[in-house]
Amino acid sequence: MGRQISSFKGRFGYSGISSVAFSPDGKLVLLCNSDIMELLEVNSGRVIRSFKGHSGAVKSVAFSPDGKLALSGSYDGTMKLWEVNSGQEIHSFKVRYSGVNSVAFSPDGKLALSGSDDKTMKLWEVNSGREIRSFKGHSGAVKSVAFS
C-alpha cells in the first residue's frame, strides 16, 4: 500500500490544482491553479518562483526534456514558453479562439503539442512559435496530449 511522503503548500493554496509536472531530474515540480504557476523544490516544498502572464486559468504544464524550459496552456487561448531559471516568458503561442487543455514537449524538445476545446491538436515549432500542423477530427474537446 502506498503512503504519502510529501505535500506542497504554495502561496495560493492548491485547491483544485489543474496540472503537475516534475522536472526531468525530479528535483523541481511545477503546479498550476487559476492563472498562476509555481515552481517548488521537491525535497523542501519551498516555492522558488511564480510564473504569471496568462489571463485565464492555466490547465496544463510541462517541462522540456532538458528541464530548462516550461510550457503552459491556458483557457485564455494561449500556450506560453518560459525559461525555468529566470521565470521569464520567451514566447506566447496563440491557439486562436479556444482554451488550451493540455501541452506536451516532443522527446527532443524541438516541438510542442497542444490539445484544445476547439476539438483540435496543434503541432508547434518551439523556437519560432510557428504552428506546423493542426490535427482535426475529434468530436469533442481534446483534454490530453502526449508524444510517444
Side-chain angles (χ1 to χ4, degrees):
M1 206 175 225
R3 66 178 177 84
Q4 179 179 324
I5 58 172
S6 186
S7 65
F8 303 109
K9 293 181 173 92
R11 295 179 196 137
F12 58 88
Y14 302 138
S15 60
I17 293 175
S18 53
S19 186
V20 175
F22 285 89
S23 61
D25 64 7
K27 294 179 180 180
L28 302 172
V29 63
L30 268 171
L31 304 172
C32 63
N33 175 352
S34 185
D35 60 348
I36 298 172
M37 297 184 314
E38 287 191 333
L39 181 69
L40 291 81
E41 290 179 339
V42 170
N43 287 340
S44 69
R46 182 177 70 88
V47 176
I48 297 171
R49 77 182 37 83
S50 296
F51 298 78
K52 297 179 184 175
H54 285 287
S55 61
V58 180
K59 301 306 291 179
S60 182
V61 292
F63 273 99
S64 62
D66 64 7
K68 294 178 181 179
L69 302 173
L71 191 61
S72 58
S74 170
Y75 271 7
D76 66 7
T78 66
M79 287 190 323
K80 292 189 182 288
L81 183 68
W82 307 88
E83 186 178 85
V84 172
N85 284 339
S86 69
Q88 295 290 76
E89 181 182 321
I90 298 169
H91 286 302
S92 185
F93 305 74
K94 181 65 180 151
V95 188
R96 299 209 174 81
Y97 306 104
S98 180
V100 178
N101 296 314
S102 184
V103 297
F105 276 99
S106 63
D108 65 4
K110 294 179 181 180
L111 301 174
L113 193 60
S114 64
S116 300
D117 283 341
D118 69 357
K119 306 175 189 175
T120 67
M121 295 184 308
K122 295 188 187 316
L123 185 65
W124 304 87
E125 189 175 76
V126 172
N127 286 338
S128 70
R130 182 176 66 92
E131 182 183 324
I132 297 171
R133 176 180 288 161
S134 182
F135 300 93
K136 300 176 183 177
H138 288 274
S139 60
V142 178
K143 298 289 187 178
S144 184
V145 296
F147 282 89
S148 66

